[in-house]
């Protein structure tokens, strides 16, 4: 399958490095990262699913965050691994567009799920008396539906924009995956309008979650500072700390890639940024929530005890 009006039927992904001595060590390194990602996220999904006292709005969103992390790491990592063990990491045009669609869908969805989690923490800390009334099950479902809806819309727009481009002969993608900016670089038509669409959509799908998270935590911080007891402040801070770390890692790494055009930041440098939020962040998220969350530790202990005694 080729793009309409294009001669290119497949792309070659350059991967992370062209140095032969690094290929095998990097293969095993990222294989380890992927195994930890799968194990960590699956464990969190199972823990939340099996323990009824974790069936709360916060863990409902965390459950979906783990599904998203597992899914978009699986969208990227296995194909990236091929560049370490094969001379040419070839991906067909249809496969490239499919990878691009799911990458955009999961990344955008994650940004909105993180903003929903920030809103949940705001209601829990600033309006605890109406928490159960505000964050009822239908509201959580609607917030999640909105997150996935924005992910789907963003993925359709980005993928449709790339599919409308013409690729004449050059098919070497300077990346380890089919990302938007490296594909724009290969097009033989004027990509100014397409690049503008990319940055507008990114500004919307990143700007709205960041604004929501910033506002939520500004109000949370203001509320915490008015808590008289040291124990109360400490409990409120510990409730938010895991989410703040996850948000900082996700948006911090993504900020180095998309707000800047390729002319300002070389694509080689963008690969490192992409590597962090596509491979490292999905691996760290379940570890952060497991190690810094008392409820998750208790759930893990109870689940293991049930397995041992059974």
């Amino acid at each position: 399958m080729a793009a309409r009006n294009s001669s290119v039927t497949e792309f070659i992904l350059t991967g992370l490095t062209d140095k032969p001595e690094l290929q095998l060590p990097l293969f095993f390194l990222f294989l380890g990262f992927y195994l930890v990602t799968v194990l960590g996220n699956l464990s969190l999904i199972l823990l939340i699913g099996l323990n009824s006292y974790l069936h709360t709005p916060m863990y409902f969103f965390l459950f979906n965050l783990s599904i998203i992390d597992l899914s978009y790491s699986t969208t990227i990592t296995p194909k990236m691994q091929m560049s370490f063990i094969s001379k040419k990491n070839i991906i067909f045009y249809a496969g490239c567009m499919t990878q691009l669609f799911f990458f955009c869908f999961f990344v955008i969805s994650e940004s909105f799920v993180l903003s929903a989690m920030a809103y949940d923490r705001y209601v829990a800390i600033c309006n605890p008396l109406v928490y159960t009334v505000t964050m009822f099950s239908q509201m959580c479902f609607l917030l999640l539906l909105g997150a996935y809806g924005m992910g789907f819309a963003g993925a359709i727009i980005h993928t449709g924009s790339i599919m409308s481009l013409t690729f004449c002969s050059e098919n070497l993608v300077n990346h380890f995956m089919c990302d938007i900016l490296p594909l724009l670089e290969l097009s033989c038509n004027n990509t100014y309008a397409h690049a503008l669409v990319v940055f507008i959509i990114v500004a919307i799908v990143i700007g709205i979650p960041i604004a929501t998270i910033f506002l939520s935590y500004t109000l949370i911080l203001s509320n915490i500072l008015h808590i008289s007891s040291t124990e109360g402040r400490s409990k409120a801070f510990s409730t938010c700390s895991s989410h703040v770390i996850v948000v900082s890692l996700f948006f911090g790494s993504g900020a180095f890639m998309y707000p800047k055009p390729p002319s300002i930041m070389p694509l080689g440098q963008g690969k490192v940024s992409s590597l962090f939020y596509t491979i490292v962040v999905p691996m760290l998220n379940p570890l952060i929530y497991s190690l810094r969350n008392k409820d998750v530790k208790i759930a893990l202990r109870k689940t293991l005890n049930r397995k041992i005694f059974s």
Side-chain angles (χ1 to χ4, degrees):
M1 178 182 177
R4 186 175 55 189
N5 301 324
S6 297
S7 59
V8 172
T9 60
E10 62 186 28
F11 295 101
I12 299 172
L13 302 173
T14 60
L16 283 175
T17 179
D18 56 358
K19 295 180 179 179
E21 66 274 15
L22 293 178
Q23 303 288 0
L24 203 57
L26 285 174
F27 173 81
F28 286 110
L29 174 66
F30 288 106
L31 178 62
F33 282 178
Y34 182 62
L35 291 176
V36 173
T37 301
V38 172
L39 182 62
N41 284 289
L42 277 180
S43 299
L44 208 50
I45 290 167
L46 289 172
L47 280 177
I48 296 171
L50 293 173
N51 291 274
S52 57
Y53 73 94
L54 293 182
H55 295 175
T56 62
M58 184 176 102
Y59 292 103
F60 171 74
F61 292 123
L62 182 55
F63 179 87
N64 282 276
L65 183 68
S66 292
I67 292 174
I68 291 170
D69 281 337
L70 178 60
S71 300
Y72 87 74
S73 181
T74 301
T75 301
I76 304 300
T77 309
K79 189 60 185 172
M80 184 190 76
Q81 292 290 84
M82 293 298 296
S83 63
F84 298 129
I85 56 175
S86 61
K87 290 183 178 179
K88 286 186 178 180
N89 186 12
I90 295 172
I91 183 169
F92 290 108
Y93 176 83
C96 186
M97 295 303 109
T98 301
Q99 186 187 60
L100 175 64
F101 174 84
F102 282 108
F103 165 68
C104 292
F105 172 71
F106 290 124
V107 168
I108 295 170
S109 297
E110 173 147 344
S111 67
F112 280 92
V113 168
L114 288 172
S115 67
M117 293 174 76
Y119 175 70
D120 172 73
R121 292 299 83 207
Y122 156 72
V123 178
I125 293 172
C126 299
N127 298 288
L129 297 178
V130 296
Y131 178 73
T132 53
V133 177
T134 306
M135 298 302 293
F136 56 98
S137 56
Q138 289 89 342
M139 173 59 74
C140 293
F141 179 76
L142 287 173
L143 287 172
L144 187 66
L145 191 64
Y148 286 133
M150 290 298 292
F152 182 78
I156 285 287
I157 293 171
H158 281 312
T159 309
S161 177
I162 295 299
M163 289 182 72
S164 67
L165 296 173
T166 301
F167 299 97
C168 300
S169 57
E170 182 61 45
N171 69 340
L172 189 65
V173 180
N174 185 22
H175 214 299
F176 57 83
M177 65 177 183
C178 288
D179 203 356
I180 301 165
L181 298 181
L183 290 172
L184 284 175
E185 291 265 298
L186 295 183
S187 175
C188 29
N189 30 20
N190 190 337
T191 60
Y192 176 78
H194 295 274
L196 188 61
V197 168
V198 169
F199 291 114
I200 290 173
I201 298 301
V202 167
I204 293 170
V205 299
I206 298 298
I208 293 175
I210 286 178
T212 303
I213 292 166
F214 179 78
L215 179 60
S216 296
Y217 277 106
T218 300
L219 295 172
I220 287 170
L221 182 61
S222 175
N223 187 273
I224 289 174
L225 293 176
H226 286 87
I227 297 174
S228 55
S229 70
T230 306
E231 185 182 350
R233 284 198 298 269
S234 176
K235 185 178 179 181
F237 275 122
S238 65
T239 302
C240 300
S241 59
S242 298
H243 185 252
V244 170
I245 294 170
V246 168
V247 165
S248 302
L249 289 172
F250 180 76
F251 287 106
S253 56
F256 287 100
M257 182 67 182
Y258 289 105
K260 304 178 183 68
S263 58
I264 296 178
M265 185 186 70
L267 283 176
Q269 189 179 336
K271 277 196 248 186
V272 178
S273 174
S274 299
L275 184 72
F276 197 78
Y277 70 82
T278 56
I279 309 296
V280 179
V281 170
M283 178 187 68
L284 292 179
N285 283 355
L287 297 177
I288 292 168
Y289 276 107
S290 299
L291 296 174
R292 299 184 61 86
N293 193 300
K294 188 189 295 182
D295 291 337
V296 173
K297 290 178 183 178
I298 293 170
L300 178 60
R301 198 176 304 120
K302 286 184 175 181
T303 303
L304 290 175
N305 287 338
R306 282 203 300 266
K307 293 292 181 185
I308 291 169
F309 285 117
S310 63

